[in-house]
Amino acid sequence: MPKWRIVGLSFQHMHMGDLLREAYEHPNAQIAGVCDDDRARMADAIANFSISNQHVYRDIAQCVREARPDLAILCPATARHADVVEEVAALGVDILLEKPFAASLADADRILAAIKKSKVRLAVNWPLRWYPPHVTTKRLIDEGVIGEVTEVHFYDGNRGPLYHRADKVVVSDEDVRREKPTSWWYSKVAGGGSLLDYLGYGATLGTWFMNGAAPIEVTAVVDRPQGLEVDEHSITICRYARGLSKLETRWGTFTDPWTTQPQPKCGFVVVGSEGTISSYDYEAHVAVQTRAEPTIHRIPVDELKAPFRGPIEYVLHCKERGAPFEGPLDPALCLTAQRIVDTAALSAREGRTLALLP
């Protein structure tokens, strides 16, 4: 019998299907239950993973009580992260929370307080953490290939959050137009907008690349198209003690990067004291330039090996060994990134540069 029992709680983020697929395919895990107050949101997962009706729930407490999970995957709307984490942590279950970390620093503090009080463990999943180019870039940084990191430049996004489902199933323009007026992704109170959706990626992996360093001040601007209450494009400039970094988010690229890289390309360019690395999503190589070898040369990306190929096998590996969740999954690192996100959001609202929020 599989050792690890996993439940999926709240299907508002389409990544739940991807995470449950990892659990379904893990040789030592099983999906013990799924839960959402809207069964329709669970329909694809129920069909894809042959989940029986007795393991489908609408109430979180009942699901946890009857399924007896070792790990709960949470994919609620951003504004509900703190509420759902508090509820699940109080039930004594370890948590894998799909990005972003929180809707605000206040919510992040609630999340950290909840896991501390309940003595459960929390990992935050950022899918870009598992992209081979970015893993390779981190290895090269740690090996000192480009010296001390001084700048991180990030551009990422997609055609929009409604254009795809789990497993990157494509949605038509007509369906997007129909869903957009009522979707939580475009609701300010629900935590919608490209800044809250994507800036955490750049801030979190950027903090990882910079070995935990935080900026001194942040300046941000957003573009909110007429008729929308959230942004679809944001640019954030972070001033560090040793340089400037730029983090840009975009809903509305001409193509999705997992099919055809748009222009600008989605991914990172990292600048160090001794060289640079371009690390673009989904590409089979990174491009490196150094003082010793100024001609840009390509390095094949690392082959990811178990248990570092994805969040489910990694979290179960750490649980089995009592090891800490490291890098972008570590809530402490995510808190630094959340400070950047909150400062950027406030900077955009006030139209001025702000010191990094404490």
Side-chain angles (χ1 to χ4, degrees):
M1 291 292 291
K3 179 178 180 179
W4 301 106
R5 298 174 62 82
I6 296 175
V7 294
L9 309 179
S10 186
F11 282 64
Q12 289 180 289
H13 199 300
M14 81 287 288
H15 288 179
M16 176 63 87
D18 303 304
L19 294 168
L20 286 178
R21 181 168 297 283
E22 288 191 31
Y24 182 73
E25 294 176 351
H26 193 288
N28 205 22
Q30 68 180 105
I31 300 172
V34 292
C35 179
D36 194 283
D37 57 11
D38 182 352
R39 186 185 174 97
R41 285 198 287 251
M42 299 185 284
D44 287 344
I46 292 169
N48 290 340
F49 311 123
S50 303
I51 300 171
S52 64
N53 282 332
Q54 64 179 339
H55 296 136
V56 177
Y57 299 87
R58 297 187 64 180
D59 178 75
I60 287 176
Q62 182 185 5
C63 178
V64 170
R65 183 174 63 252
E66 296 182 5
R68 297 174 289 105
D70 300 294
L71 178 70
I73 302 169
L74 308 188
C75 289
T78 303
R80 296 183 59 234
H81 278 203
D83 292 339
V84 180
V85 168
E86 286 176 336
E87 181 175 4
V88 176
L91 296 169
V93 183
D94 287 347
I95 295 167
L96 175 62
L97 175 65
E98 183 62 2
K99 67 87 187 171
F101 182 26
S104 66
L105 271 172
D107 280 4
D109 288 340
R110 287 173 55 195
I111 289 171
L112 295 175
I115 62 173
K116 181 178 180 180
K117 179 180 179 181
S118 301
K119 296 183 172 59
V120 300
R121 303 181 66 191
L122 169 72
V124 183
N125 182 51
W126 300 89
L128 290 187
R129 158 63 180 87
W130 312 104
Y131 286 18
H134 309 328
V135 174
T136 306
T137 293
K138 176 58 174 172
R139 175 179 63 77
L140 295 174
I141 290 170
D142 290 345
E143 291 174 359
V145 169
I146 61 169
E148 180 185 30
V149 175
T150 57
E151 305 170 33
V152 173
H153 301 282
F154 169 77
Y155 179 93
D156 223 312
N158 50 53
R159 289 189 297 156
L162 299 179
Y163 276 96
H164 60 281
R165 303 281 190 256
D167 298 321
K168 299 295 190 285
V169 173
V170 176
V171 176
S172 70
D173 290 336
E174 181 181 347
D175 286 340
V176 170
R177 283 193 294 271
R178 185 178 65 253
E179 292 180 30
K180 199 169 184 177
T182 58
S183 170
W184 77 264
W185 293 98
Y186 289 88
S187 165
K188 185 176 181 179
V189 70
S194 82
L195 187 151
L196 284 182
D197 181 31
Y198 258 92
L199 180 56
Y201 274 126
T204 303
L205 270 74
T207 301
W208 188 41
F209 293 153
M210 287 193 164
N211 293 318
I216 298 168
E217 61 185 22
V218 174
T219 309
V221 294
V222 299
D223 177 57
R224 190 180 68 208
Q226 187 174 2
L228 294 183
E229 58 184 52
V230 299
D231 72 280
E232 290 192 308
H233 191 185
S234 76
I235 299 176
T236 298
I237 299 170
C238 298
R239 184 172 72 85
Y240 291 81
R242 54 182 182 264
L244 299 176
S245 292
K246 179 173 70 68
L247 312 174
E248 187 168 357
T249 72
R250 185 71 171 105
W251 287 351
T253 56
F254 280 93
T255 54
D256 291 315
W258 49 85
T259 55
T260 302
Q261 270 279 18
Q263 295 187 117
K265 285 186 176 183
C266 290
F268 294 85
V269 174
V270 183
V271 180
S273 57
E274 301 301 321
T276 65
I277 305 172
S278 63
S279 181
Y280 295 115
D281 301 352
Y282 301 100
E283 295 203 346
H285 64 272
V286 296
V288 178
Q289 177 186 45
T290 65
R291 293 190 191 280
E293 191 175 351
T295 301
I296 294 175
H297 55 286
R298 294 183 172 188
I299 296 177
V301 300
D302 295 347
E303 178 186 355
L304 304 191
K305 297 180 179 180
F308 303 102
R309 297 172 300 182
I312 297 298
E313 69 174 14
Y314 173 75
V315 167
L316 295 183
H317 165 81
C318 291
K319 281 173 60 64
E320 190 169 271
R321 288 158 180 77
F325 303 134
E326 295 183 330
L329 285 85
D330 178 4
L333 187 147
C334 293
L335 184 62
T336 297
Q338 188 70 48
R339 294 168 64 199
I340 296 172
V341 172
D342 271 42
T343 309
L346 184 59
S347 169
R349 288 197 299 272
E350 297 190 355
R352 62 190 181 100
T353 298
L354 297 173
L356 184 70
L357 293 172

